[in-house]
Amino acid sequence: MSARILDGKALAAKIRQRVAEGVQDFVRQVGDRPGLGVVLVGEDPASAVYVRNKEKSALETGMHSEILRLPAEAGRGEVLDAIGRMAEDPRFHGILVQLPLPDHLDEEEIQQAVPPEKDVDGFHPVSAGKLLLGQKGGFVPCTPKGILALLDEAEAPLEGAEVVIVGRSNIVGKPASLLLLARHATVTICHSRTRDLEEVCSRADVLVASVGRPGLIRGRHIKPGAVVIDVGINRVTDRARAEDLLAGQPRRWQRFEKKGQTLVGDVHFGEAMERASALTPVPGGVGPLTVAMLLDNTLEGARRAAGIGG
Ligand code: NDP
């Protein structure tokens, strides 16, 4: 068997296009653009790339977007004030705080300063509570929302299906489990204390890995014909590790030999290709959906604020 590749880039492009059309409608109806504000504290190079990417993607859909950059040494009060100003600014319908924050800042406190009605990341306790209770009006975190979109695109039957999620983070594993439960799947969540990971995973019709361990999920964890969603993004520089994880992917191996590094998921791609019916690649799977869903949430927030959306 050779799994079908679930192309996250193509699906994300479709969603961004749909958002761009929604933005045009919004402008026609309201006379103003939806807006996304991004707060970046410090100079972490990876975060700088992520926020530029988010701003660029938002601008491409026709939204307003701004990055508020604060120095790494900005104090608690300065950051909270900056978020407070954005929260009051009607040009911003969505606000996100790029993580990680410098060590001296309390991530939980800073993130919760974003009011729930602008919490397009869906990390606020109010959003999380609404998701848990199945109530409308909150925001669904972007990565789990993207996972569902990929599963729907793959036409994976969810009702009654055995779904196993490896990883119980607040931003991926837990919210993904709630979304899948709401779709009537039988959901099992695994974590570092799960006794027999292989046995549990190999029951899954749909297997979602969000762990942060390169290639943890091998072929033997995968039930033949399962749909596999690989959320992990891991940089690998060790040659022997890369040789194992890139087995059967000669072009990627060549690139590793040139650059000395590669990005892989939590699933061993070559082995999964032999067992799964459908599989997301890394990169190009879940990642692009996360940004697309951030834009989708921002448009949703703008529509709600204008009283034209659920
Ligand atoms: P966290 O680091 O917050 O959590 C990891 C989870 O994996 C924990 O629940 C942990 O268990 C579990 N775990 C760790 N080791 C094992 C093991 N050996 N067996 C079973 N479970 C294990 O993860 P995130 O969800 O934030 O991120 C996971 C990965 O997804 C990362 O690679 C990250 O970069 C990527 N990511 C990708 C995104 C995208 O857009 N594609 C978005 C967000 C994350 P325990 O709770 O017991 O510690």
Side-chain angles (χ1 to χ4, degrees):
M1 187 189 296
S2 188
R4 178 157 63 102
I5 299 287
L6 301 174
D7 184 347
K9 269 198 218 160
L11 180 57
K14 259 206 266 182
I15 292 167
R16 289 204 310 267
Q17 178 57 34
R18 198 187 66 208
V19 171
E21 287 161 16
V23 168
Q24 280 182 9
D25 275 352
F26 183 88
V27 173
R28 262 195 302 273
Q29 289 186 61
V30 180
D32 222 339
R33 289 180 293 164
L36 173 67
V38 183
V39 179
L40 174 65
V41 187
E43 283 97 37
D44 177 61
S47 294
V49 172
Y50 293 146
V51 298
R52 269 204 306 275
N53 191 9
K54 287 168 185 171
E55 183 195 37
K56 182 168 160 271
S57 304
L59 293 172
E60 278 169 5
T61 64
M63 287 184 191
H64 170 70
S65 184
E66 275 177 39
I67 303 174
L68 182 70
R69 292 185 169 83
L70 295 169
E73 58 282 3
R76 170 183 174 273
E78 195 180 338
V79 178
L80 290 175
D81 281 352
I83 295 173
R85 279 195 303 276
M86 256 190 180
E88 302 216 326
D89 188 334
R91 291 174 309 152
F92 300 112
H93 304 95
I95 300 172
L96 76 89
V97 179
Q98 185 64 41
L99 301 180
L101 289 168
D103 288 344
H104 66 280
L105 295 170
D106 176 347
E107 256 175 30
E108 208 171 282
E109 181 191 30
I110 302 291
Q111 278 195 311
Q112 288 182 24
V114 175
E117 64 278 10
K118 296 195 177 187
D119 168 43
V120 282
D121 257 339
F123 296 161
H124 196 284
V126 170
S127 300
K130 286 190 169 164
L131 182 61
L132 178 73
L133 299 174
Q135 292 178 1
K136 291 207 164 107
F139 290 101
V140 174
C142 303
T143 303
K145 199 170 172 180
I147 293 171
L148 261 287
L150 277 161
L151 288 171
D152 286 339
E153 182 77 0
E155 297 181 340
L158 297 176
E159 191 170 327
E162 290 277 352
V163 175
V164 174
I165 300 171
V166 190
R168 56 177 163 179
S169 69
N170 288 336
I171 61 170
V172 186
K174 281 185 205 163
S177 74
L178 293 169
L179 291 175
L180 286 155
L181 197 58
R183 297 285 295 272
H184 312 296
T186 301
V187 183
T188 305
I189 308 180
C190 299
H191 44 77
S192 64
R193 320 279 170 91
T194 295
R195 222 177 298 134
D196 188 345
L197 187 67
E198 183 179 329
E199 192 275 320
V200 180
C201 288
S202 59
R203 282 191 243 142
D205 302 310
V206 172
L207 181 60
V208 178
S210 184
V211 189
R213 302 268 184 282
L216 174 77
I217 304 297
R218 310 292 300 211
R220 62 179 183 276
H221 293 80
I222 299 170
K223 175 173 159 181
V227 175
V228 178
I229 305 290
D230 189 354
V231 183
I233 303 177
N234 310 295
R235 189 173 302 281
V236 171
T237 51
D238 179 77
R239 198 165 188 279
R241 201 98 199 270
E243 193 169 12
D244 169 33
L245 294 171
L246 299 177
Q249 302 179 73
R251 296 235 306 269
R252 290 199 60 188
W253 173 245
Q254 276 167 15
R255 246 177 289 144
F256 174 85
E257 293 249 69
K258 229 195 252 167
K259 293 190 163 176
Q261 57 166 313
T262 190
L263 282 187
V264 298
D266 292 335
V267 177
H268 189 291
F269 186 80
E271 292 182 8
M273 281 297 286
E274 296 299 313
R275 302 271 287 192
S277 61
L279 170 66
T280 57
V282 177
V286 178
L289 266 306
T290 299
V291 177
M293 290 309 184
L294 173 70
L295 305 176
D296 194 52
N297 278 355
T298 305
L299 176 61
E300 199 175 312
R303 290 172 58 83
R304 273 187 215 149
I308 55 173

